[in-house]
Amino acid sequence: MSSIIQLLPDHVANQIAAGEVVQRPASVVKELLENAVDARATDIKLIVKDAGKTLIQVIDNGVGMNVTDARLCFERHATSKIRHAEDLFALHTKGFRGEALASIAAIAHVEMKTKQDQDELGTHIVVEGSKFASQDVAVLPKGTSFSVKNLFFNIPARRNFLKSDTVEFRHIVDEFERVALAHPNIGFVLYHNGSEMFNLPMGNMRQRIVGIFGSRTNEKLVPVKESTEIVAIEGFVTKPEFAKKSRGEQFFFVNNRFIKSGYLHHAVMAAYEGLLKDGCQPGYYIYLDVPPHTIDINIHPTKTEIKFDDEHALYAILRSSIKHSLGQFNVAPVLDFERDANLDTPYDYQKREAVVPNVEVDRNFNPFADEAIKGTATASRPAGSSGGFGNTHFKRERQPAWESLYIGTNPASEEIADINFESEEVTGSLFNDNEVEDTDYKTYQIHRKYLVSPIKSGLLVIDQKRAHQRILYEQFLRNITVQHGASQQLLFPLVLHYNKTELDLIREMKEALQNTGFVFAEINDDHIVVNGLPVNVPESEVSILLEELISDLQQEVPGSSFSQSDRIAKSMARSLAVKTGTALSGKEQENMVNALFACKEPDVSPFNKPTFITVSVEDLDKRFAI
């Protein structure tokens, strides 16, 4: 019997490895940016076309490579980061496995140009599907340029699984932001389809955060800094009043490497205990510096998860540091019974000296002088005399009470008491009592969650949240399609601030939002001005609604097979639907039931969940027959 186990060819092994390393264009962006950082570059440019499906190019001014290194970097398990197995526990760089470039070259057309500073000429290599197409000498500037074209050209199944350009570019921006935030001392530029999306010069942490997320972010930041033997913590958290419903701006960096950690996120949330509204998430940009031998970063293919030696101590230190910063900057409430807040010195008066007030006294002032003059004048006037000209100033006749002015003006006033008024007792009604009972509402609310209504065959139980979602969804979708959504004008326009990526999404869905009733006065580089809202959207919910809508579009909820109008209608319906626990009046319950069964598909919500169930009389009889 012949053997059935055989070694895979190199190109097949590279394609299999590419499945772990390269999941989407953002994975290529991450690997190339990290290589540019490891090359000690001070300026890095990222050029993307069609969300990375057509072109991903990273240009840096780093140290470059010689001819031998340029050829070896495309081989599997070739790396400049480690020499021994022990080096895995003392890593100070980004990528280290030596599989990234080999995996990328196996599923794309790669063109590399590199040159070292001391060399006169550089190296130009073209690789297509793990095969070296050409290698030439070229005149190049210092540094390295990687161009990845036609990603997944030889794996069409993987290319078909890619999402829309909007979603894929959002993932690219996420990777770009993570690398840029981790290295504020490096300048980054991002171009997409010829347009400059980000231009981040070298600076400090705060400047980099503001450069990515907008100038409005600066007032939200609260600095956090703590240094111990276990960990050195530095970074920023946002003030509780700027918390959002989505978990967007939350970043952990360990030794300048972005990570995800639910355990550390829980420590941050514990520090905000009692300061956030239900369902809100704070933003944070936390940089942790720990000894390399105390962490293991090789437990995840993308190296976004890290194992710590002492997680409990790290949890306690992080929680205490954030809580201390929130209290230090008077963000968190302070309970001190011996402190009187009224005695606090305002900041404007801290360095001023006390000013002694000038007291001016009028020694000739006598509060009893007027009464003494009046008393003297009255005593000097003889009784019954009309007085002369000088005494008329002190004479004041007493006017009769105002009630006496109306006495005798109505001669028939005394006869009013004899008039018999019609009895106020209601002796009849426009409706019969039976008719009033027939028109009474027959819908009842249970636990502020379900609506119960009797029908001929039994009972109808409606989920009020899902039912309202279906009603709003069809309403918004009809308004977007027919383009006649009603709008209510605002007396004072709303000014909402967003970063560049979010503003691009708002511009993209501007027309659909206007059809639902939104009126945008302007959309600038860092904010929008809203003049009108849909009729059923309260002003207090606008910010939350747009944040959730942007988040859904970034993640393409519910899926790529749906149109943008459909996604907008679903997101708005989910945000504006009545929540579980909302009490509804009898009229509101009746209107919801009628509106639900006026929908085209009343039996399911926009997210394919049942809106109501029926309980027949037979089912009730069976339950009582037990």
Side-chain angles (χ1 to χ4, degrees), residues 285-449:
Y285 317 86
I286 307 290
Y287 297 80
L288 307 176
D289 189 6
V290 299
H293 65 275
T294 61
I295 58 174
D296 184 3
I297 59 178
N298 200 23
I299 64 173
H300 193 272
T302 60
K303 299 183 286 296
T304 56
E305 296 181 8
I306 289 182
K307 181 177 178 58
F308 297 93
D309 285 351
D310 194 352
E311 288 186 337
H312 297 288
L314 192 60
Y315 181 99
I317 295 172
L318 180 60
R319 176 181 175 274
S320 300
S321 301
I322 296 176
K323 205 171 188 66
H324 174 71
S325 295
L326 293 175
Q328 184 180 9
F329 290 90
N330 290 329
V331 176
V334 179
L335 187 62
D336 188 356
F337 295 102
E338 298 180 358
R339 173 178 168 271
D340 187 358
N342 296 325
L343 301 179
D344 290 346
T345 304
Y347 290 111
D348 296 339
Y349 293 89
Q350 284 183 348
K351 298 181 180 180
R352 295 186 183 181
E353 296 182 357
V355 180
V356 180
N358 295 325
V359 181
E360 296 181 359
V361 179
D362 185 6
R363 300 185 181 276
N364 297 323
F365 175 72
N366 185 0
F368 305 102
D370 293 341
E371 295 184 5
I373 295 172
K374 290 180 181 180
T376 305
T378 304
S380 63
R381 186 171 61 244
S385 62
S386 60
F389 179 78
N391 293 332
T392 57
H393 177 73
F394 301 99
K395 181 180 179 181
R396 182 175 182 180
E397 297 181 359
R398 180 178 178 85
Q399 297 293 337
W402 65 269
E403 296 90 341
S404 62
L405 298 176
Y406 295 91
I407 296 177
T409 56
N410 189 359
S413 60
E414 297 179 354
E415 300 177 359
I416 295 179
D418 297 334
I419 298 177
N420 294 324
F421 289 96
E422 184 180 354
S423 175
E424 294 182 359
E425 182 180 356
V426 178
T427 57
S429 175
L430 293 175
F431 304 98
N432 294 328
D433 294 339
N434 294 333
E435 292 179 355
V436 174
E437 292 179 0
D438 291 340
T439 58
D440 198 10
Y441 304 124
K442 294 183 178 180
T443 304
Y444 307 96
Q445 189 178 30
I446 298 178
H447 294 294
R448 298 185 177 182
K449 184 176 183 181

Side-chain angles (χ1 to χ4, degrees), residues 63-279:
V63 295
M65 292 179 284
N66 57 28
V67 178
T68 305
D69 291 342
R71 186 69 182 244
L72 283 176
C73 71
F74 291 102
E75 299 295 331
R76 290 190 68 196
H77 307 304
T79 177
S80 62
K81 316 296 174 60
I82 57 176
R83 293 290 183 268
H84 307 283
E86 292 78 10
D87 294 340
L88 289 172
F89 301 97
L91 290 170
H92 298 275
T93 55
K94 303 295 183 182
F96 57 87
R97 288 203 184 108
E99 296 178 357
L101 294 181
S103 301
I104 295 171
I107 54 175
H109 296 158
V110 179
E111 181 181 3
M112 184 187 70
K113 300 177 181 179
T114 182
K115 173 185 172 295
Q116 292 183 330
D117 192 18
Q118 64 273 16
D119 297 335
E120 294 183 0
L121 298 175
T123 305
H124 181 199
I125 295 178
V126 178
V127 183
E128 298 178 354
S130 296
K131 297 180 180 179
F132 283 86
S134 64
Q135 178 176 342
D136 301 315
V137 178
V139 178
L140 302 171
K142 172 196 171 185
T144 305
S145 171
F146 269 99
S147 298
V148 179
K149 305 175 183 178
N150 305 322
L151 193 64
F152 300 123
F153 79 99
N154 53 355
I155 310 179
R158 177 62 66 88
R159 190 178 183 89
N160 292 335
F161 274 100
L162 294 178
K163 303 292 184 180
S164 65
D165 287 357
T166 302
V167 177
E168 294 299 338
F169 182 67
R170 177 64 231 174
H171 287 286
I172 290 176
V173 171
D174 287 342
E175 296 295 345
F176 176 83
E177 290 176 352
R178 293 167 183 174
V179 177
L181 286 172
H183 302 278
N185 58 333
I186 301 177
F188 288 88
V189 182
L190 170 60
Y191 297 94
H192 183 224
N193 293 336
S195 300
E196 183 181 275
M197 304 301 297
F198 291 95
N199 190 344
L200 308 173
M202 290 184 284
N204 54 34
M205 293 181 187
R206 182 184 286 269
Q207 291 172 339
R208 180 54 51 89
I209 293 171
V210 172
I212 293 177
F213 298 105
S215 58
R216 185 80 175 184
T217 311
N218 191 31
E219 66 183 68
K220 305 178 184 178
L221 302 180
V222 176
V224 178
K225 191 170 185 179
E226 188 67 42
S227 180
T228 65
E229 296 179 356
I230 300 176
V231 61
I233 301 175
E234 191 173 1
F236 300 91
V237 296
T238 58
K239 298 177 182 178
E241 59 265 27
F242 296 103
K244 298 181 178 180
K245 292 287 185 180
S246 59
R247 297 179 55 175
E249 301 173 7
Q250 297 179 344
F251 298 91
F252 281 115
F253 299 95
V254 176
N255 295 352
N256 291 333
R257 182 192 299 273
F258 171 79
I259 68 161
K260 298 178 181 178
S261 175
Y263 190 67
L264 296 181
H265 172 74
H266 190 274
V268 176
M269 296 300 295
Y272 277 90
E273 184 178 2
L275 300 177
L276 299 175
K277 298 178 181 179
D278 293 338

